Amino acid sequence: MADEQVKLTLVEKLGRVDRRIIFLLMGVAVLIPLLIHYTTTIPASLIVQDLFDKVESLPPGSKVLISFDYGPATEPENQPMATSITRHCFEKGLRIYMISLWATGPRQATELIDGIITPEFPGKVYGIDWIDLGFKAGGQGLINTLLSDFTAMYTTDVNGRAIAEFPMMAGIKSLRAFDLIYCVGSGQPGNKEWIQFAGDPGRIPVGGGTTAVMAPQLYPYYPKQTVGLLGGLQGAAEYEAALMVKYPKYKTMSRVASEKMGPQVSAHLVIAAFIILGNVTYLVERRRQKKRQ
Amino acid sequence: MVTIGIMRYLGTVIALLAVLAIVLPVWADEVPLAPSDFRAFDSPSDHGGSIDLKWQRSPDDGAGGNIVTAYEISRSATPDGEFSQVARPLKGVTAYSDNGLTDGTKYYYRIAAVSAGGLSDQVSAGPAVASQQWFNKKRANLLVVACILVFAIAYYIYLGAKGRDLHIRRIAGLEAVGEAVGRATEMGRPVLFIPGIQDMDNVQTVAGITILGEIAKMTAQYETRLEVPVSRSIVMSTGRETVRQAYLEAGRPDLYSDDMVHYITDEQFGYVAAVDGIMVRERPAACFYLGAFFAESLILAETGSSIGAIQVAGTAMPTQIPFFVAACDYTLIGEELFAASAYLSKDKKMLGSIKGQDAGKAVAMVFIIVGVVLVTLAAISGNHAVSRAGEWIKNLFALRM
Amino acid sequence: MKRTIPLLITFAVGLILIIAMFIPHDPFFDMDRNFSIFYDVIAVFAFILGGGNLLRVHLNKVYLKRRDWKYSIVTVTGFFLMLLAGLLKIGVTEGWSGNFQGTGSLFKYLYDCTFQPLSSTMFSLLAFFVASASYRAFRAKTIEASILLVAAFVILVRPTPLGYYLTFWLPDPLKFLTISNLSTWILAVPNMVGQRAIMIGIALGIVSTSLRLILGIERGYLGGE
Amino acid sequence: MEAQPILTSPFAASLGMWIGGLLTLMILSFLYRDNPFYKFAEHLFVGISAAYWMVVGFWTTLIPNLIARLWPSHMGGILPSATANKPELMYVIPLIFGLLMLARLSPKASWLSRWAMAFVIGFAAGTNFTRYLQSDFVSQIHSSIAPIYSPGMSVMGTIGNVFSNLVIFAGLLGALIYFYFSKEHKGVFGRTARFGIWVLMAAFGATFGYTVMARISLLTGRMDFLIKWIGGIFT
């Protein structure tokens, strides 16, 4: 009996942990990964892996349209998505066409060019491997027009040079010329518009990434209308992980989303552990009470 | 510098010519056929200042020579005065709204199709005059829905006013209100009431303040201390009127003081910091959170739980209900908050309005069931008539802006 | 006089705003547009009541040397510092016509080094409170509580390796049960329906409460005769 | 900016960093227990923020939307863009209501403030009525009317899709019935309401779990700030 009593109080104690201990562990769980720059590798979920596999399946020379439909406000979430797809496309020898439905988009594209393309892929030639076509107003109306006639809207690149100068623009008559449309979005116009006005009517594969806030509204389009989706920081980190598995050289390079996910993962695990602890002790206590009755 | 400019200009021209030479060898000099059936008329269902334009596509837009890239619309105040361009919609577009006009003025319009080779012949329309309308036809369906709801609610209020006995089911969270105040009295500790962090322009705050009136009657009877920190000045004013009236009705005006309801700050987290301070220092035995809440909901509820208070929450903020459900003893979910003031007051007219709400819910459910059945049957059978009936019901609830 | 006129004002203002929704013609359209500015202006006047009350409470504390009265000095000092910095546009380079929170102004400086860190730290306390609330509340005591627990847990472990290892071994026909697919489903189906039902209910509650206010049935806020 | 170098100087920046860092720690100390540091930060926050919103209200509402509309020609020194406008006499109304609001300060005239409150309540009722009717009631019913079965999918896809759609349909009706107040939750009615509660609970759990990530991001942001501040001291 005495033995039982001691055990009981232990279980009871575990069922009523002082909240300050929880607070302390949460603080540590967030602080430590930040201090040691811990990066996690989160296995890609199906919705992300499908998108990765789609890019992986494209033959060299395929055309990928990346639409920068976001601004500085959501940069922490969106920029890593643009970085990963760019790295992946160039590894596979695909061609990248950048456009933007948001006036704030070209700035983000420039950031990508200066931060990733120029330093990491010096061998890739502007106009042959990639091109920046800039921003055009119109949202869904623009997409609609591009679907039937791309060159009606884009006669020059972002710097005002005629597209005829660029070999990679030859044969781009409509959106149907692209093998994948990849929208990095954060609202309207964005992923939904690309799916509804380009993907669905033109039967063009559409994928992309969006912020965590927008993601739940886009899940219903998967897998019928969208190839895959990166939801928030987590989706971005999963793509980084998938890229790293396939191309190990990225293990040593900056993986922004994965770094930011470090504190997230450890903190989530702490919470999950406490939920499990609470339930296990609850069940044990209940069983003991029943026995006693 | 000048030479560079000219060179660049020349370069662009040559490049353009090259594009034209390659892409459009045949159509290079061709102008498209003009659009047809161009009409200009006052935009319907609006506040004036706008004229709608409609036209049929040029035969060369999407068909024929397929060389149209856009349309050019221009406007003038006289039929043969100077026309200035107002818009350049893309090809494939057949409508445009011209805004920012003066009501009562005659406007004339012209449209032409644009191609690389130049402009088509111009087509004229007008004059058209912008004006305000007396009814927004786009919202006719909304008016019908509003009338149904208003009628249902008003009808039951009328029944209530006539003294008809209207039964309302027990609402668990509300039974707890009296219990919580009672416990605070036994323990000799205060009751804390938070009417949310929004101003009186939010109906949730109004509902919260109405419930505050009922709670204040109890604290007056039990002689329990009531503390109401608020984050909006107008809420402070209305809160004081409400509590004063409640103490008067309970026969204890002597116990009322303006200091019960006091203002802290409009800032969300400044307010929360202060309320947290009040909680840990005054240790209320009962905490009520009834009104509109944002992220602070969980900070308040967790601090309240740490001091062992009985907590009753209620809000219509869908994002915050989960946190109250997790951390409080009782939570009024969404609509229950609005039913609460009527329920507690036991006023017949107020109870009638809840019955009216239920009638509205019944109507909504009937339309949803019939609608879902029809569109499902249409999807299975492909029957045209069923499909049209389903769409008709669905469109009753379509928003046209 | 004390109750009838206010009830008439409420009735008229409420009705005009509802009418303006269906009649885009003046004067309704104009009133609809102006009323929200009227409201903002009234709220600013009310600030005098609120701020006055705050000062009265804290000065009283100091005067009567009540518990924690020394901290009340901090409140009053902070209040006047911020108020004067903003109203007098201290440090604003363009003079009286400049932006009161422009770069270089004392108001903006005070905002950046006190208001902003205080506010975001208070907000970040939520990270700790979600943890303590999860531990306490998510226990499988009833069927309802179990559903709450399972839904929260699935969504919670989704971004962690735990979420992956819990279900990665499922055979292909059962792949739809993996944590990531399950969480997608929970977000897209029950979550969406729950939100929708709550929104419909809330809308009815608000329509009904608004009607009670316009008709003067709910009038506790007015006080007595 | 050159005329006022003090507040934009590196010294001011580093002083601001210190103040911000110390205040951050003071607020975090509340997690352990109430203490003098938290009390200090809390009281400072209340004073500063109350004045902040008053100042914002003064410069962004009272001046441009009341004073400048009534006496535009006098605004030269403060709001030069307004001087060309004509006075809008209609704005005497909010001025009167605003002054009536202040009648509360005198016990004898305080009943006059009810007129202002009545305007506020009427405004609340009118705007909320229309807004919620449109965006919550009508549009949610509109999106609820969707077919349970849609053709053209694989067998497994169809089964999954029909199942999800049935959950959506039954869950919506169940949850609406849960909110039905006129009838006790008994029998079939009660069982449907019970299913409604389950769906609501799943929704609550999902929202809770989904929000956790955003909350931890906030803490990460604060920790980043602290690391930068403390790291800056030692380098």
Side-chain angles (χ1 to χ4, degrees), chain A residues 123-243:
Chain A
K124 297 289 176 183
V125 183
Y126 186 76
I128 294 174
D129 298 306
W130 63 281
I131 190 167
D132 184 4
L133 295 168
F135 159 75
K136 286 272 185 289
Q140 61 193 53
L142 175 74
I143 300 178
N144 213 4
T145 311
L146 294 180
L147 186 60
S148 55
D149 192 347
F150 196 86
T151 43
M153 292 312 300
Y154 281 103
T155 52
T156 68
D157 76 347
V158 72
N159 302 314
R161 288 167 67 186
I163 54 168
E165 287 181 42
F166 305 109
M168 69 188 288
M169 290 305 291
I172 306 275
K173 292 212 169 64
S174 80
L175 285 179
R176 291 194 180 85
F178 294 101
D179 301 287
L180 175 68
I181 295 173
Y182 186 98
C183 164
V184 187
S186 63
Q188 237 185 341
N191 309 66
K192 204 178 261 181
E193 284 69 25
W194 279 110
I195 292 169
Q196 288 175 343
F197 294 92
D200 288 353
R203 297 186 174 275
I204 310 159
V206 175
T210 191
T211 57
V213 178
M214 295 294 298
Q217 298 176 34
L218 292 169
Y219 281 131
Y221 293 109
Y222 169 81
K224 259 173 80 185
Q225 293 150 285
T226 181
V227 186
L229 182 76
L230 317 185
L233 206 55
Q234 189 198 342
E238 288 178 17
Y239 204 94
E240 283 176 357
L243 193 62

Side-chain angles (χ1 to χ4, degrees), chain B residues 110-130:
Chain B
R110 284 182 184 166
I111 190 170
V114 184
S115 79
L119 293 179
S120 71
D121 290 340
Q122 294 201 314
V123 185
S124 310
V129 178

Side-chain angles (χ1 to χ4, degrees), chain B residues 142 167 169 200-201 237-238 241 265 267 270 273 281 322 333 335-336 355 358 361 376 379 394 397 401, chain D residues 34 38-39 42 45 49-50 53 104 117 124 128 134 138 142 145 148-149 178-182 184:
Chain B
L142 212 56
H167 174 75
R169 78 167 160 87
M200 288 309 277
D201 64 335
S237 299
T238 39
E241 286 289 353
T265 167
E267 162 60 22
R281 283 159 220 151
I333 299 167
E335 195 181 356
E336 290 178 319
K355 286 267 181 196
D358 279 350
K361 236 166 293 165
T376 305
K394 191 166 175 169
F397 297 93
M401 285 302 141
Chain D
D34 189 28
Y38 176 76
K39 277 187 202 170
E42 170 211 319
F45 196 5
S49 60
W53 287 111
R104 290 200 65 83
M117 278 191 253
N128 283 279
Q134 274 190 82
V138 172
H142 182 257
I145 301 178
I148 288 176
Y149 163 82
Y178 168 75
F179 288 119
Y180 207 83
F181 300 106
S182 304
E184 293 294 334

Side-chain angles (χ1 to χ4, degrees), chain B residues 51-397:
Chain B
I51 288 177
D52 277 6
L53 304 169
K54 277 196 175 149
W55 60 92
Q56 295 289 326
R57 286 201 267 180
S58 150
D60 289 329
D61 178 356
N66 199 12
I67 51 174
V68 174
T69 56
Y71 292 96
E72 200 172 279
I73 298 172
S74 48
R75 179 185 66 208
S76 171
T78 50
D80 14 65
E82 190 155 316
F83 279 76
S84 54
Q85 187 183 324
V86 290
R88 214 182 143 89
L90 298 173
K91 67 177 196 165
V93 176
T94 58
Y96 179 77
S97 283
D98 191 17
N99 294 313
L101 305 174
T102 313
D103 286 354
T105 308
K106 284 181 180 170
Y107 291 102
Y108 299 84
Y109 287 90
R110 284 182 184 166
I111 190 170
V114 184
S115 79
L119 293 179
S120 71
D121 290 340
Q122 294 201 314
V123 185
S124 310
V129 178
S131 69
Q132 301 183 3
Q133 270 71 50
W134 280 103
F135 183 61
N136 187 344
K137 285 180 196 149
K138 294 174 192 163
R139 289 186 175 152
N141 61 338
L142 212 56
L143 182 63
V144 173
V145 174
C147 285
I148 293 175
L149 289 182
V150 169
F151 177 78
I153 295 167
Y155 173 72
Y156 280 102
I157 290 177
Y158 168 75
L159 285 189
K162 270 178 59 181
R164 182 81 65 89
D165 191 33
L166 300 168
H167 174 75
I168 296 291
R169 78 167 160 87
R170 214 175 63 88
I171 301 174
L174 290 180
E175 309 276 307
V177 169
E179 183 194 323
V181 176
R183 203 174 79 129
T185 311
E186 277 167 30
M187 298 173 73
R189 298 223 232 124
V191 169
L192 183 72
F193 185 97
I194 311 287
I197 62 154
Q198 289 264 286
D199 214 334
M200 288 309 277
D201 64 335
N202 191 315
V203 173
Q204 297 182 52
T205 315
V206 182
I209 291 291
T210 310
I211 303 172
L212 168 64
E214 302 301 326
I215 291 175
K217 277 181 203 160
M218 297 180 200
T219 56
Q221 278 160 10
Y222 299 156
E223 300 182 15
T224 307
R225 197 152 68 83
L226 174 67
E227 171 124 16
V228 189
V230 299
S231 84
R232 302 286 165 152
S233 306
I234 301 181
V235 179
M236 180 183 81
S237 299
T238 39
R240 282 180 177 171
E241 286 289 353
T242 308
V243 175
R244 188 210 310 268
Q245 177 67 14
Y247 273 70
L248 200 69
E249 277 175 31
R252 300 306 303 268
D254 53 310
L255 290 178
Y256 172 80
S257 114
D258 266 353
D259 291 339
M260 286 173 169
V261 187
H262 57 98
Y263 170 84
I264 290 180
T265 167
D266 269 52
E267 162 60 22
Q268 178 184 15
F269 291 107
Y271 175 71
V272 175
V275 173
D276 268 8
I278 292 173
M279 280 189 195
V280 293
R281 283 159 220 151
E282 318 242 329
R283 304 205 150 256
C287 298
F288 297 99
Y289 314 106
L290 298 162
F293 289 86
F294 289 90
E296 72 285 348
S297 63
L298 190 66
I299 302 183
L300 295 173
E302 275 298 287
T303 309
S305 140
S306 77
I307 55 165
I310 288 195
Q311 306 197 88
V312 181
T315 188
M317 287 291 181
T319 49
Q320 300 309 320
I321 299 170
F323 299 104
F324 278 143
V325 168
C328 291
D329 299 280
Y330 299 95
T331 306
L332 301 172
I333 299 167
E335 195 181 356
E336 290 178 319
L337 172 70
F338 302 107
S341 54
Y343 184 88
L344 284 174
S345 72
K346 303 268 189 305
D347 179 278
K348 287 265 165 86
K349 281 188 263 181
M350 298 268 267
L351 290 176
S353 74
I354 299 184
K355 286 267 181 196
Q357 259 163 265
D358 279 350
K361 236 166 293 165
V363 171
M365 281 192 275
V366 167
F367 274 108
I368 291 174
I369 293 172
V370 174
V372 168
V373 167
L374 282 177
V375 292
T376 305
L377 283 179
I380 294 172
S381 69
N383 184 307
H384 192 61
V386 179
S387 154
R388 284 225 337 242
E391 282 308 308
W392 185 79
I393 289 199
K394 191 166 175 169
N395 279 335
L396 275 182
F397 297 93

